[in-house]
Amino acid sequence: MLVGLIVACEVAFWVLLLAGLVARYPLRRPRLGGALLLAVPLIDLVLLAATIVDLRGGATATFAHGLAAAYLGFSVAFGHSMVRWADQRFAHRFAGGPPPVRPPRYGLARARSEWREWGKGMLGWAVACALLLAAIVLVGDAERTRELESWIGRLSLVMAGWLVFWPVAYTVFPKRRPRNAATGG
């Protein structure tokens, strides 16, 4: 049931986001669009409430409970930038806004961008781990929350891999702009 709710929340995120942007730009209803976009975080509250109710009702934590915490943590960390990303594209396409800002592709600017994204990932990790720890304390039964402890390790491993293969790699081995054969440079 919880996995289905997580999928439903992800679908609802994109539906509300799209509805908000369509109202804001093609329909020229900025207040309605703003209200729909402000409702996007409510989806996370529904998932949080359902997870708490399930665990408080005596459920043993499963993979889905850990996934819910991870989803919520990374939604908090990346939700705003995802909305901004989509808003830039809609503004450009439907309201004559400037072209969307593209992330840097080369050199130190790319390394800084990778560090910034990893920092957001660490915020997501911190929120997810805080939710996992709160659920462990809330349930108060080590047998029922063993899976939640495992999730802390999984998320930490993912973040360590992200650190090594992206920000550190781009800092140590920055991708260089290809030489243009036409200019001889």
Side-chain angles (χ1 to χ4, degrees), residues 101-162:
V101 176
R102 292 180 159 226
R105 295 177 58 192
Y106 306 107
L108 187 56
R110 169 70 183 263
R112 274 194 299 268
S113 175
E114 293 295 338
W115 281 103
R116 189 171 34 260
E117 291 302 305
W118 183 78
K120 286 193 269 185
M122 284 303 296
L123 173 62
W125 172 86
V127 171
C129 288
L131 290 171
L132 291 165
L133 290 171
I136 290 168
V137 169
L138 180 73
V139 171
D141 181 351
E143 286 300 312
R144 288 181 43 217
T145 58
R146 194 168 318 282
E147 181 65 24
L148 301 180
E149 292 174 24
S150 298
W151 266 94
I152 293 171
R154 287 182 194 125
L155 291 173
S156 299
L157 184 62
V158 167
M159 291 310 299
W162 186 354

Side-chain angles (χ1 to χ4, degrees), residues 10-97:
E10 182 66 11
V11 169
F13 169 84
W14 289 105
V15 167
L16 263 181
L17 176 61
L18 184 60
L21 294 173
V22 166
R24 179 180 273 181
Y25 295 110
L27 298 179
R28 307 233 187 280
R29 304 274 315 267
R31 291 176 70 181
L32 174 61
L36 289 167
L37 292 174
L38 284 174
V40 168
L42 298 177
I43 296 165
D44 291 346
L45 295 178
V46 169
L47 180 58
L48 179 62
T51 305
I52 290 170
V53 166
D54 195 38
L55 288 172
R56 291 288 292 168
T60 297
T62 65
F63 183 86
H65 293 92
L67 181 61
Y71 175 87
L72 289 166
F74 287 90
S75 179
V76 166
F78 289 96
H80 181 72
S81 58
M82 290 172 70
V83 169
R84 187 175 57 244
W85 174 88
D87 188 61
Q88 285 178 346
R89 278 142 187 82
F90 264 75
H92 177 66
R93 172 73 172 89
F94 296 106

